[in-house]
Amino acid sequence: MAKTKRQNRKKRHGSYPFISVIFSISLTLFVIGLFGWLLLNAQKLTDYFQENIEIQIYLDNEVSENERIIINKALTSKEYTLTIDEVPQLTYISKDEAAQKLIGETGEDFLSIMDDNPLRDAYLLKIDPEHQSDEALEALREDISAIPGVFEVSYVQSVISAVNENVAKISLFLIVFATLLLIISALLINNTIKLALFSQRFLIRSMQLVGAKSGFIRKPFLLRSILHGIVSGILASLLLFLFINYANEKVVELKILQIQEKIIILYAILMVFGGIVGYFSTLIAINKYLKLSLDELY
């Protein structure tokens, strides 16, 4: 009798072995979430490199304090100057500071054998990522060079070009890989649900034979599939949360790359994606079984 009750529960309209389905979907969504987290970190790392590209602006030796202030205002007002939290990323380094830094790096006091400090006062200007192409950098070099009191504008073009090229290649690779991962994940979830619903094909046929409409048959399956997808997304988000915390403990520098708001959005995307893919996978499978003949069901 207990066995009969268990069988009846299994064959209840809209039910199927959901534990294995949730487990499989959760693992698939976890892989998607893990890649999404790596993608966010890669984007933040890319932004970090681009936001730290800077040029050196050396001033004439005869520049007065007032002229230096005018140069400072001119540079901070340029559209190619990187601004973070409304603060222009411009740093002034006097020639005395530059000399002390050079002595610290080389360990040799070159000032002791020279009558005068040969270095120049300079500005370090960080460039907005939108103005980091070779053409834009050359244009801003000419623009800055035209400012009275500027002696020379210098930057390592090969390094900037290499950063831009690598960023473009990495971005293309990540986009292609992310697209393939989403397609593969959707197919895996679809096959998992299709296999789970396979055990319900005769129940669906029985309901058709007693006159149940297709919409009535579909509804409980679709509602459960959405619920299972969301639950799987929650479990995947929990696994991802634990993994991120573990990774942050092992590699402290990872915290610098992470934006908590975006990670929360990633959790929400996993739940929504799980619900949507679960819904459409179930819809496709149910429609297939609704159209099969009795011989094809076997």
Side-chain angles (χ1 to χ4, degrees):
M1 184 175 180
K3 183 177 180 181
T4 304
K5 288 182 178 180
R6 287 196 298 270
Q7 289 176 343
N8 289 335
R9 284 200 296 269
K10 287 183 179 180
K11 294 184 178 180
R12 189 171 64 248
H13 182 202
S15 67
Y16 51 84
F18 64 89
I19 294 179
S20 61
V21 172
I22 290 177
F23 178 77
S24 299
I25 297 177
S26 297
L27 290 182
T28 304
L29 292 177
F30 170 71
V31 174
I32 295 176
L34 184 59
F35 180 77
W37 176 66
L38 295 175
L39 194 62
L40 291 176
N41 287 347
Q43 181 60 51
K44 185 64 178 178
L45 186 61
T46 297
D47 293 341
Y48 174 80
F49 280 123
Q50 290 185 324
E51 289 175 358
N52 281 277
I53 288 179
E54 58 187 17
I55 62 175
Q56 298 81 39
I57 304 168
Y58 299 101
L59 307 182
D60 291 333
N61 289 328
E62 299 80 12
V63 169
S64 65
E65 184 64 19
N66 288 335
E67 290 174 324
R68 188 185 69 78
I69 293 174
I70 292 173
I71 295 173
N72 188 301
K73 290 182 178 180
L75 292 174
T76 54
S77 64
K78 299 295 185 180
E79 71 278 0
Y80 47 72
T81 298
L82 177 65
T83 301
I84 299 178
D85 296 330
E86 299 183 356
V87 178
Q89 301 301 295
L90 180 67
T91 305
Y92 172 71
I93 299 178
S94 68
K95 61 181 182 180
D96 293 331
E97 292 174 335
Q100 293 302 318
K101 183 178 180 180
L102 184 59
I103 291 173
E105 292 176 351
T106 61
E108 297 181 3
D109 186 2
F110 65 91
L111 294 177
S112 61
I113 57 175
M114 303 183 71
D115 297 331
D116 191 21
N117 184 353
L119 303 179
R120 294 176 179 272
D121 296 334
Y123 279 105
L124 296 181
L125 177 66
K126 291 186 178 180
I127 306 301
D128 187 275
E130 294 183 359
H131 296 84
Q132 291 180 6
S133 65
D134 293 341
E135 296 79 7
L137 287 171
E138 187 58 33
L140 69 86
R141 185 216 292 267
E142 295 178 1
D143 183 58
I144 296 174
S145 298
I147 299 175
V150 172
F151 173 77
E152 183 183 14
V153 179
S154 175
Y155 62 88
V156 183
Q157 185 172 358
S158 59
V159 173
I160 298 177
S161 298
V163 170
N164 291 333
E165 289 176 5
N166 289 330
V167 166
K169 291 178 181 178
I170 292 172
S171 299
L172 179 61
F173 170 78
L174 291 177
I175 290 173
V176 172
F177 190 82
T179 302
L180 290 175
L181 181 61
L182 287 175
I183 294 173
I184 293 172
S185 299
L187 291 175
L188 287 174
I189 295 174
N190 177 69
N191 289 335
T192 300
I193 293 177
K194 186 184 295 184
L195 288 173
L197 290 175
F198 183 76
S199 62
Q200 300 292 300
R201 66 194 188 282
F202 291 112
L203 176 60
I204 294 172
R205 169 60 63 180
S206 299
M207 296 185 69
Q208 283 183 306
L209 293 176
V210 297
K213 294 183 178 180
S214 297
F216 176 80
I217 298 174
R218 291 191 195 98
K219 184 176 179 180
F221 286 104
L222 295 177
L223 292 177
R224 288 175 185 273
S225 68
I226 295 173
L227 176 62
H228 294 161
I230 294 174
V231 170
S232 300
I234 293 173
L235 293 177
S237 298
L238 179 60
L239 289 174
L240 184 61
F241 173 78
L242 295 175
F243 179 86
I244 290 175
N245 284 345
Y246 176 79
N248 288 339
E249 290 177 2
K250 294 299 181 180
V251 184
V252 181
E253 291 78 7
L254 282 175
K255 293 181 180 179
I256 302 174
L257 302 176
Q258 295 171 22
I259 302 176
Q260 195 62 36
E261 292 79 6
K262 290 187 177 181
I263 294 179
I264 293 175
I265 293 175
L266 178 61
Y267 295 151
I269 290 174
L270 291 179
M271 289 183 280
V272 173
F273 183 76
I276 291 175
V277 175
Y279 173 86
F280 284 104
S281 297
T282 302
L283 181 62
I284 294 171
I286 292 295
N287 286 340
K288 174 186 176 182
Y289 292 129
L290 286 173
K291 295 176 181 178
L292 292 179
S293 65
L294 184 59
D295 292 335
E296 290 173 325
L297 289 176
Y298 285 95

